[in-house]
Amino acid sequence: MNRTEQRERVFKLIFESISNKLTLNDLKTIMSDHNLNEHFIEKSMENFYKHYESISENISKVISLSSLDKAGKVDKSLIILGVNEMTYMKTPSSIVINEVVELAKKYSKKDSYKFINSILGQIYKINNE
């Protein structure tokens, strides 16, 4: 599985976690059941749980969390994926933003990718000033 496919799996796991209020142990079981044992996926999910509050704080610098909730679980999951990976996986931001925008085009509403791109771009600028 290449990195783009792994990132898509992480997005789906984050979405499932948010939608069903799963614990890390729940997700580890799901990952095991589906043979999702790649290091990138495991590390991404561990960071998502470990740093969820910090990720939320980063996002709230740009948009209120209530507004993010109104945007929907798909968009919220994609933004969390992007912030998590830019901040804790140390993947270059340009790659993360591009890949997350492509996932938004595939999974979200028609023009949501523009909203997601804007949010991630603003977070990148704030964190790199």
Side-chain angles (χ1 to χ4, degrees):
M1 184 180 306
N2 67 35
R3 183 58 53 91
T4 298
E5 294 167 331
Q6 291 176 16
R7 191 172 284 111
E8 186 171 1
R9 294 289 184 149
V10 171
F11 155 66
K12 290 176 179 179
L13 289 167
I14 290 172
F15 177 83
E16 190 165 351
S17 173
I18 289 170
S19 297
N20 299 313
K21 297 183 170 91
L22 301 177
T23 66
L24 181 57
N25 286 334
D26 294 333
L27 276 180
K28 285 184 178 183
T29 300
I30 291 168
M31 290 165 54
S32 176
D33 290 348
H34 294 285
N35 295 319
L36 299 175
N37 55 1
E38 285 89 352
H39 176 74
F40 176 82
I41 295 173
E42 291 174 352
K43 190 71 176 159
S44 291
M45 295 314 299
E46 287 172 7
N47 284 333
F48 163 67
Y49 277 95
K50 182 178 179 181
H51 301 290
Y52 184 79
E53 292 302 318
S54 176
I55 292 167
S56 294
E57 287 173 19
N58 255 329
I59 294 168
S60 69
K61 292 176 186 175
V62 175
I63 183 172
S64 73
L65 296 179
S66 62
S67 294
L68 183 61
D69 286 339
K70 290 176 189 173
K73 291 177 185 170
V74 170
D75 292 354
K76 181 177 181 177
S77 299
L78 288 166
I79 292 168
I80 289 170
L81 167 70
V83 173
N84 183 43
E85 193 171 341
M86 285 190 296
T87 307
Y88 299 106
M89 300 297 288
K90 304 300 182 194
T91 307
S93 298
S94 60
I95 292 171
V96 173
I97 293 170
N98 183 58
E99 296 254 342
V100 171
V101 164
E102 290 305 313
L103 287 170
K105 289 176 181 177
K106 182 175 181 179
Y107 290 101
S108 195
K109 297 173 190 159
K110 183 180 177 187
D111 288 330
S112 288
Y113 73 92
K114 295 174 186 176
F115 167 74
I116 292 167
N117 183 49
S118 174
I119 297 297
L120 292 177
Q122 290 176 62
I123 290 170
Y124 169 77
K125 286 177 186 173
I126 289 169
N127 290 338
N128 290 287
E129 289 181 333

